[in-house]
Amino acid sequence: MRASSWIPWVFVVLWSTGFTGAKLGLPYCGPFTFLAIRMALTLLCFAALLAVLRPAWPTLAQARQQWVSGGMLHGGYLGCLFAAIKLGVPAGLAALIMGMQPLLTALISWRLGEKRFRAIQWLGMALGLAGTALVIAGSKGVALAGGAGAAFVIAGLLLITGGTLYQRYRGGGVHPVAGAFHQYLSALAVTGALALLFERGVPVVWSGEFIFALGWSVTMLSVLAVLLLLRMLRDGDVSRVAAYLYLVPGLTAVQAWWLFDERLSPAAMGGIVLAAVGVALVLRGGDFRLPGRPASGGRA
């Protein structure tokens, strides 16, 4: 039985709020401190789920694999993303560049000999790159192209791609909830170490906006959105998940415009559409599926 028809739409809306939620909370806290608090609270939520579900516990070797993928996916990727947004990278631009991850993963899989690209997929690759260029040129992100903000976004893209591929090839055979727990445990270690190293003494302002952003990130993103993703994957929607993810950059851009007055030019908005079409052609034209196992957790 396939996931209920409403689940994918709720999932993609929640997923898109990860970028704007970060921008809402970061004025009151360092990016790594925010994430360390988020991971600690998320661990408590998944510990409660483990107590209720009582899944099989992974072996030490399996747990180590989850630690590696979780460190890259939830610690490294999110750390880079939050640092980039803290430095002023527009949330819509960050979402668009991170949205290239399925395309980059497909390209790496092609290079490894797993798949061959058809002509329509090469067209999709070109459209995706052209769309990304249009968005960068049509936003203030062009001013960040040579700065630390752009470097963090690119590093985050590489980390989420590497973490996804590692999870795909090495992270299987673990119950998704148990796997997610170990991944968040690793992410807490990574973000906590970064917070102690770079943000010691930086105060946390417990404002209403910060508490809302933190609570939303934990309950709606790290817990509910991940559980919806696992439901979709369990019910056989693997090939459709990537298609829904194409909507995330556009939704994020709308949210960022509404909440933070981040304005994109008509060319940049067209670039978002063009990039989404390009990624769709690459992944769907060759029956590429969303890389990774259900326990891979999430991207925002």
Side-chain angles (χ1 to χ4, degrees):
M1 182 178 181
R2 298 176 70 86
S4 301
S5 59
W6 58 269
I7 288 181
W9 300 106
V10 173
F11 165 77
V12 76
V13 170
L14 290 176
W15 212 248
S16 68
T17 64
F19 299 88
T20 50
K23 186 157 186 173
L24 182 65
L26 287 179
Y28 308 99
C29 182
F32 305 128
T33 302
F34 184 103
L35 285 171
I37 298 172
R38 170 178 167 179
M39 297 306 162
L41 294 175
T42 301
L43 270 176
L44 293 177
C45 295
F46 272 90
L49 287 174
L50 288 173
V52 173
L53 300 176
R54 298 183 180 277
W57 197 247
T59 66
L60 180 58
Q62 290 173 324
R64 286 172 178 167
Q65 293 167 347
Q66 300 303 314
W67 296 340
V68 173
S69 58
M72 287 191 286
L73 288 168
H74 303 296
Y77 155 66
L78 285 178
C80 288
L81 172 64
F82 275 53
I85 292 177
K86 182 74 172 182
L87 289 172
V89 175
L93 175 62
L96 187 278
I97 295 176
M98 294 303 182
M100 292 295 101
Q101 180 266 332
L103 187 151
L104 180 58
T105 304
L107 180 60
I108 293 174
S109 297
W110 168 74
R111 290 293 298 171
L112 293 175
E114 281 194 359
K115 295 287 184 180
R116 292 185 177 181
F117 276 1
R118 300 175 181 176
I120 193 172
Q121 291 175 289
W122 285 114
L123 173 62
M125 183 77 71
L127 291 177
L129 294 175
T132 303
L134 275 176
V135 174
I136 293 174
S139 71
K140 67 179 182 181
V142 68
L144 300 168
F152 273 118
V153 173
I154 294 171
L157 175 60
L158 296 176
L159 281 167
I160 190 176
T161 302
T164 299
L165 288 169
Y166 183 90
Q167 179 66 21
R168 176 180 180 181
Y169 292 113
R170 301 294 298 276
V174 178
H175 188 280
V177 174
F181 176 85
H182 280 280
Q183 289 186 17
Y184 284 125
L185 184 65
S186 173
L188 175 60
V190 172
T191 56
L194 290 171
L196 288 175
L197 185 61
F198 296 108
E199 297 171 358
R200 183 178 299 180
V202 177
V204 177
V205 180
W206 293 90
S207 67
E209 285 189 351
F210 174 77
I211 294 173
F212 175 81
L214 182 62
W216 182 274
S217 296
V218 172
T219 58
M220 296 293 105
L221 287 165
S222 294
V223 178
L224 179 57
V226 167
L227 292 177
L228 291 177
L229 173 62
L230 298 179
R231 168 66 185 273
M232 292 166 66
L233 294 171
R234 188 199 70 182
D235 288 351
D237 278 356
V238 182
S239 61
R240 298 180 61 194
V241 173
Y244 289 111
L245 290 176
Y246 308 152
L247 301 173
V248 169
L251 287 173
T252 301
V254 171
Q255 294 166 17
W257 164 74
W258 181 47
L259 293 173
F260 309 112
D261 199 32
E262 284 188 5
R263 298 185 181 274
L264 295 178
S265 68
M269 295 301 294
I272 289 177
V273 176
L274 194 62
V277 171
V279 176
L281 289 176
V282 171
L283 297 185
R284 295 180 68 83
D287 195 30
F288 277 99
R289 295 178 181 273
L290 182 68
R293 305 290 182 180
S296 62
R299 298 179 183 156

